[in-house]
Amino acid sequence: MYTYSTLPRNNRLMKILAGILWAIAVQATGLCLVVVAMIAMWGAAEGDGAGAGGFLLQVTGILAVAAAVLAAIWYALKRMGLAPATRAVVVGALACPGPVALVLNVYLGR
């Protein structure tokens, strides 16, 4: 039976899976940020510039908290002795569902 320390360190499948998960997460986050930028621009065009700044500040805060949580999980997994590719898969799997759900909610209109 394999344990954390006896798994092969250069697992190509884990690297490919991590790349796919992170590509999906980054693409979905980018699409969400485009929608946020459009909302902020519409708010500023209507003369509600202060409201647009507050909205952008909230979005920036949410992204900063999410990045801090993912970084904490990354370093916690590092202390457990997992390989970098395995950590990237686990953190990517945790980072992916939120932005994808937001994109589906925005673009499908539900």
Side-chain angles (χ1 to χ4, degrees):
M1 185 85 189
Y2 285 116
T3 63
Y4 292 132
S5 61
T6 59
L7 285 174
R9 290 287 191 192
N10 294 328
N11 192 346
R12 186 177 304 174
L13 178 65
M14 293 300 243
K15 291 178 183 178
I16 292 170
L17 184 58
I20 291 170
L21 285 172
W22 278 105
I24 291 170
V26 168
Q27 183 71 23
T29 303
L31 288 172
C32 288
L33 290 177
V34 167
V35 171
V36 165
M38 288 186 337
I39 292 170
M41 287 176 56
W42 287 335
E46 286 185 0
D48 190 22
F55 176 67
L56 289 176
L57 189 60
Q58 286 177 348
V59 171
T60 304
I62 290 169
L63 288 175
V65 168
V69 168
L70 290 175
I73 292 170
W74 174 270
Y75 286 110
L77 293 174
K78 184 177 182 179
R79 294 201 66 182
M80 288 177 54
L82 290 177
T86 307
R87 283 182 287 180
V89 169
V90 171
V91 176
L94 293 173
C96 198
V100 170
L102 284 174
V103 166
L104 291 176
N105 189 18
V106 167
Y107 287 107
L108 295 178
R110 293 184 183 170

